[in-house]
Coordinates of all heavy atoms in Angstrom, one line a residue:
F1 N -32.1 0.5 -51.9 CA -32.6 -0.7 -52.4 C -34.0 -0.5 -52.9 O -34.4 -1.0 -54.0 CB -32.6 -1.8 -51.4 CG -33.2 -3.1 -51.8 CD1 -32.5 -4.0 -52.6 CD2 -34.5 -3.5 -51.5 CE1 -33.0 -5.2 -53.1 CE2 -35.0 -4.7 -51.9 CZ -34.3 -5.5 -52.7
V2 N -34.9 0.1 -52.1 CA -36.3 0.4 -52.5 C -36.3 1.2 -53.8 O -37.1 1.0 -54.7 CB -37.1 1.0 -51.4 CG1 -38.4 1.5 -51.9 CG2 -37.2 0.0 -50.2
T3 N -35.5 2.3 -53.8 CA -35.5 3.2 -55.0 C -35.0 2.4 -56.2 O -35.6 2.6 -57.3 CB -34.5 4.3 -54.7 OG1 -34.9 5.1 -53.6 CG2 -34.5 5.3 -55.9
G4 N -34.1 1.5 -56.1 CA -33.6 0.7 -57.3 C -34.8 -0.2 -57.8 O -34.9 -0.2 -59.0
G5 N -35.6 -0.7 -56.9 CA -36.7 -1.5 -57.3 C -37.7 -0.6 -58.0 O -38.3 -1.1 -59.0
Q6 N -38.0 0.6 -57.5 CA -38.9 1.4 -58.1 C -38.5 1.9 -59.5 O -39.3 2.0 -60.4 CB -39.1 2.6 -57.2 CG -39.9 2.3 -55.9 CD -40.0 3.5 -54.9 OE1 -39.2 4.5 -55.1 NE2 -40.8 3.5 -54.0
V7 N -37.2 2.2 -59.6 CA -36.6 2.6 -61.0 C -36.9 1.5 -62.0 O -37.4 1.7 -63.1 CB -35.1 2.9 -60.9 CG1 -34.5 3.0 -62.3 CG2 -34.9 4.2 -60.1
Q8 N -36.6 0.2 -61.6 CA -36.7 -0.8 -62.5 C -38.2 -1.0 -62.9 O -38.6 -1.2 -64.1 CB -36.3 -2.1 -61.8 CG -36.5 -3.4 -62.6 CD -35.6 -3.6 -63.8 OE1 -34.6 -2.8 -64.0 NE2 -35.9 -4.5 -64.7
A9 N -39.1 -0.9 -61.9 CA -40.6 -1.0 -62.2 C -41.1 0.0 -63.1 O -41.9 -0.3 -64.0 CB -41.3 -1.0 -60.8
R10 N -40.6 1.3 -63.0 CA -41.1 2.4 -63.7 C -40.6 2.3 -65.1 O -41.4 2.7 -66.1 CB -40.8 3.7 -63.1 CG -41.6 3.9 -61.7 CD -41.2 5.2 -61.0 NE -41.9 5.3 -59.8 CZ -41.8 6.3 -58.9 NH1 -41.0 7.3 -59.2 NH2 -42.5 6.3 -57.8
I11 N -39.4 1.9 -65.3 CA -38.9 1.7 -66.7 C -39.6 0.5 -67.4 O -40.0 0.6 -68.5 CB -37.4 1.5 -66.7 CG1 -36.7 2.8 -66.2 CG2 -36.8 1.1 -68.0 CD1 -36.7 4.0 -67.1
A12 N -39.7 -0.6 -66.6 CA -40.3 -1.8 -67.1 C -41.7 -1.6 -67.6 O -42.2 -2.3 -68.5 CB -40.2 -2.9 -66.1
Q13 N -42.5 -0.7 -66.9 CA -43.9 -0.6 -67.3 C -44.1 -0.1 -68.7 O -45.1 -0.3 -69.3 CB -44.6 0.4 -66.3 CG -44.2 1.8 -66.4 CD -45.0 2.8 -65.6 OE1 -46.2 2.5 -65.2 NE2 -44.5 3.9 -65.2
W14 N -43.1 0.6 -69.2 CA -43.2 1.1 -70.6 C -42.6 0.1 -71.6 O -43.1 0.0 -72.8 CB -42.5 2.5 -70.7 CG -43.2 3.5 -70.0 CD1 -43.0 4.0 -68.8 CD2 -44.4 4.2 -70.5 NE1 -43.9 5.0 -68.4 CE2 -44.8 5.1 -69.5 CE3 -45.1 4.2 -71.6 CZ2 -45.9 6.0 -69.6 CZ3 -46.2 5.0 -71.8 CH2 -46.6 5.9 -70.8
F15 N -41.5 -0.6 -71.2 CA -40.8 -1.4 -72.2 C -41.2 -2.9 -72.2 O -41.1 -3.5 -73.3 CB -39.3 -1.2 -72.1 CG -38.8 0.1 -72.5 CD1 -38.2 1.0 -71.6 CD2 -38.9 0.6 -73.8 CE1 -37.8 2.2 -71.9 CE2 -38.5 1.8 -74.2 CZ -37.9 2.7 -73.2
R16 N -41.6 -3.4 -71.2 CA -42.0 -4.9 -71.2 C -43.1 -5.1 -72.2 O -43.1 -6.1 -72.9 CB -42.4 -5.4 -69.8 CG -41.2 -5.6 -68.9 CD -41.5 -6.5 -67.8 NE -40.5 -6.6 -66.8 CZ -39.4 -7.2 -66.9 NH1 -39.1 -7.9 -68.0 NH2 -38.5 -7.2 -65.9
P17 N -44.2 -4.3 -72.2 CA -45.3 -4.5 -73.2 C -45.1 -3.9 -74.6 O -45.8 -4.1 -75.4 CB -46.5 -3.8 -72.5 CG -45.9 -2.7 -71.7 CD -44.5 -3.2 -71.2
A18 N -43.9 -3.3 -74.7 CA -43.6 -2.6 -76.0 C -43.4 -3.7 -77.1 O -43.0 -4.8 -76.9 CB -42.4 -1.7 -75.9
T19 N -43.7 -3.3 -78.3 CA -43.6 -4.2 -79.5 C -42.1 -4.2 -80.1 O -41.7 -5.2 -80.6 CB -44.6 -3.8 -80.5 OG1 -45.9 -3.8 -80.0 CG2 -44.6 -4.8 -81.7
A20 N -41.5 -3.0 -80.1 CA -40.1 -2.9 -80.7 C -39.5 -1.7 -80.2 O -40.1 -0.7 -79.7 CB -40.2 -2.9 -82.2
V21 N -38.2 -1.6 -80.2 CA -37.4 -0.4 -79.9 C -36.8 0.2 -81.1 O -36.6 -0.5 -82.1 CB -36.3 -0.7 -78.9 CG1 -36.9 -1.1 -77.5 CG2 -35.4 -1.8 -79.4
G22 N -36.7 1.5 -81.1 CA -36.1 2.2 -82.3 C -34.8 2.8 -82.0 O -34.0 2.3 -81.3
A23 N -34.6 4.0 -82.6 CA -33.3 4.7 -82.5 C -33.1 5.2 -81.0 O -34.0 5.6 -80.3 CB -33.2 5.9 -83.4
A24 N -31.9 5.1 -80.6 CA -31.5 5.5 -79.2 C -30.4 6.6 -79.2 O -29.5 6.6 -80.0 CB -31.0 4.3 -78.4
Q25 N -30.5 7.5 -78.3 CA -29.5 8.5 -78.0 C -29.0 8.2 -76.6 O -29.7 8.2 -75.6 CB -30.1 9.9 -78.0 CG -29.1 11.0 -77.9 CD -29.7 12.3 -78.3 OE1 -29.7 12.7 -79.5 NE2 -30.2 13.1 -77.3
R26 N -27.7 7.9 -76.5 CA -27.1 7.2 -75.3 C -27.2 8.1 -74.0 O -27.6 7.7 -73.0 CB -25.7 6.9 -75.5 CG -25.0 6.0 -74.4 CD -23.7 5.6 -74.8 NE -23.1 4.7 -73.8 CZ -22.5 5.1 -72.7 NH1 -22.3 6.4 -72.5 NH2 -22.0 4.3 -71.8
G27 N -26.9 9.4 -74.2 CA -26.9 10.3 -73.0 C -25.7 10.2 -72.2 O -24.7 9.5 -72.6
S28 N -25.7 10.8 -71.0 CA -24.6 10.8 -70.1 C -25.0 11.1 -68.7 O -26.1 11.7 -68.5 CB -23.6 12.0 -70.6 OG -22.6 12.1 -69.6

């Protein structure tokens, strides 16, 4: 549970303040 919260926080720190998203490569 703690790890899940940390993952969300670390991804969010980059994308919440972002202005736009561009091209994506889906991955696996």
Side-chain angles (χ1 to χ4, degrees):
F1 176 79
V2 171
T3 302
Q6 291 175 341
V7 168
Q8 176 73 11
R10 292 178 183 180
I11 295 293
Q13 74 173 332
W14 290 98
F15 290 115
R16 285 202 190 282
T19 305
V21 291
Q25 185 166 277
R26 190 173 184 275
S28 171

